[in-house]
Amino acid sequence: MAEFQWKEKVAECLTGAGGFLNICYEALDKHLGTAIENKVAIRFISKNWPADKNAILDLTYKDLTHQTCQFARGLQSLGVGKGDKVFALLPRVHELYVVALGTLRIGAVFCPLFSAFGAEPVKTRALFGRAKVLVTMASYYAKKIAPIRSQLPDLKYIILVNDIDASKVKIPDFLDFKKFIDSFSSDYLIEKTNPEDIALLHFTSGTTGKPKGALHAHSAVVYHKHSGQMALNLRTEDTFWCTADPGWVTGTSYGIVSPLVNGLTMLVDEAEFQAERWYLILDEFQVTNWYTAPTALRMLMRSGFDLGSNFDLSKIRYAASVGEPLNPEVVIKFKEKLKILIHDNWWQTETGGIIISNYIDMEIKAGSMGKPLPGIEVALVQRNKEGGIEKLSCPGSKGEIAIRVGWPAMFRGYLGEEERYRKCFVDDFYLSGDIATMDSEGYYWFVGRTDDLIKSSGHLIGPFEVESVLMEHPAVLEAAVIGKPDATVGEIVKAFVSLKKDFIWSETLMLDILGFARKRLGAVVAPKEISYIDTLPKTKSGKILRRLLKSREMGLPEGDISTLELPI
Ligand code: ATP
Ligand code: MG
């Protein structure tokens, strides 16, 4: 990769398009006039499927081009243009994808919100992001929008996807999505954006605190294209299923942009996770590439592998996971029981795309995130007192993941937080806030987030290592580990565990798990305390909220819990 330059890849796209770079152009228009234009771009599986076998909607690249041109023309008629923010609060229905790409088409900024957000999280984000247009479901209006509408001074237009009869619930002043786009022609239209023009506003998961608004530029598409090929092994003939919702960055970078730019057919499932349904989708639609998350994989494990073995999963050529540390146990079990090799990869909302990954032709070491993508320089660093960084060279040292700036998907700012953005960079490196180690063969191993590291008797303990060992115990389904303040040793390691079905919590089981962990981890690293928890608190994107467990343990305020999955 000595000769690989991201700048050249950006220049290639600019030349191909005739001097501009627009995500929508790369995703759709570029395929027009090729064999791809009449191919299914997105196959939408309605939540009524499989009860209703026909509840599938196929949109070709050409269909999507037409519909996004109509929507873009509609936005233009409202006076929406470059830089204006179009928010979407939609489930995974086809309108969401038309809104995303149509917004990008005219150079406006697309901002997806997770559809399960209630009024308050929607208000905070729409206010902060100065939403001009909001596209949502008519059925969401009464609960989620009506209470906050008057508090959003920049919000000029509400467009509703009419899943209920809006006239019956008396919604004031709105545009009906279908009528709206039907009233505009699909004549071709594209805004000739520059690579640095802002295209996307993505809010982070809020795992460590109040969610941040990360801004991404149109040039990110270049990274989405190549990283999809390299890290997810995407090819034109594939059927790809990214299970992430576009409300989170994975669901946009790899659940909209990357697959379309690579000209393949992708699946979108409207329904929420359900083990049998997921196996059925993988089987019936002959998924070749599957991108999912550790929480989903652990839930599939909970449902038992016997269920999975009833399905034909042999078409899966490549499976990958992101979002949280992938415990080795999960990789081992999926390989053993279902012959599926899960490739872990690491990245963040801020990085815009996959940074460290396992590849198809690489030996997988269960528990490792893999190696940096070609064209990416990663260093493990320590911050010094003068505000600088020192690179760690010795294999096995724990350091913060730092990435040399210059990859096109890197975020271009935190909305309204310039100082915070500036502080993320030292000496031409972006500092991620995550700690990892690298072994002598160049594989990276996740240790924990800086905020989650536990300092006990002078040792630095990463929760991931402890959680992974706890999960090897036959009774443990999921585990979360925190540092509990202690006058003598600084912090003690405290674990919370949930159990697999058929196991019941008792003092004896607790002692057994304690002993099991101590044998494998040694007395310093093993938990001193273990508590049972029915379900771990998680963000809506499926990440364990260790900070919440910690504040509850210490009786402190819970902080921002706008992304909490279930208030428990
Ligand atoms: P916030 O920044 O608001 O606290 P967040 O960091 O969880 O939320 P995201 O950008 O969605 O928001 O998540 C990125 C983080 O997820 C990474 O910084 C890392 O901590 C974790 N992560 C992602 N992939 C992996 C992985 N493969 N292994 C370990 N951790 C991962
Ligand atoms: Mg983060």
Side-chain angles (χ1 to χ4, degrees), residues 391-429:
K391 288 192 200 170
L392 307 171
S393 51
C394 145
S397 327
K398 288 176 186 160
E400 185 168 351
I401 300 175
I403 311 153
R404 190 182 287 282
V405 299
W407 78 101
M410 189 187 85
F411 70 140
R412 298 298 197 267
Y414 279 133
L415 187 72
E417 297 184 282
E418 267 170 44
E419 176 68 3
R420 185 177 208 166
Y421 180 68
R422 213 182 42 74
K423 279 190 173 156
C424 294
F425 299 90
V426 182
D427 295 349
D428 223 20
F429 276 88

Side-chain angles (χ1 to χ4, degrees), residues 163-331:
D163 57 338
I164 52 166
D165 186 351
S167 61
K168 282 202 181 116
V169 286
K170 297 204 177 59
I171 300 174
D173 198 14
F174 72 94
L175 295 159
D176 175 285
F177 184 87
K178 184 155 186 335
K179 286 188 199 149
F180 178 65
I181 76 163
D182 282 353
S183 62
F184 293 95
S185 95
S186 61
D187 289 351
Y188 186 67
L189 165 84
I190 190 83
E191 176 71 34
K192 295 188 171 165
T193 41
N194 294 313
E196 286 306 308
D197 285 343
I198 296 301
L200 298 156
L201 166 62
H202 264 296
F203 286 95
T204 60
S205 295
T207 315
T208 51
K210 189 171 165 279
K212 296 149 274 185
L215 294 160
H216 291 277
H218 277 275
S219 65
V221 67
V222 178
Y223 196 79
H224 296 149
K225 175 181 173 184
H226 292 282
S227 60
Q229 293 168 4
M230 296 189 283
L232 301 175
N233 204 237
L234 300 183
R235 301 179 197 162
T236 314
E237 62 277 16
D238 287 334
T239 301
F240 174 57
W241 185 26
C242 170
T243 63
D245 186 278
W248 312 111
V249 71
T250 308
T252 302
S253 295
Y254 298 99
I256 304 181
V257 184
S258 183
L260 297 180
V261 176
N262 282 302
L264 46 80
T265 296
M266 60 179 258
L267 302 179
V268 169
D269 182 24
E270 188 191 354
E272 290 315 314
F273 174 87
Q274 203 259 329
E276 189 166 351
R277 178 184 180 90
W278 275 37
Y279 283 128
L280 189 64
I281 290 175
L282 291 168
D283 177 341
E284 285 254 328
F285 299 98
Q286 310 206 341
V287 173
T288 54
N289 303 52
W290 181 38
Y291 195 21
T292 191
T295 316
L297 293 167
R298 290 194 295 263
M299 289 203 284
L300 287 173
M301 279 174 78
R302 182 177 229 171
S303 66
F305 285 112
D306 289 351
L307 179 65
S309 42
N310 294 329
F311 295 87
D312 177 10
L313 307 173
S314 62
K315 293 288 183 305
I316 301 174
R317 186 181 77 243
Y318 194 81
S321 161
V322 73
E324 270 213 302
L326 183 65
N327 315 83
E329 184 69 3
V330 181
V331 179

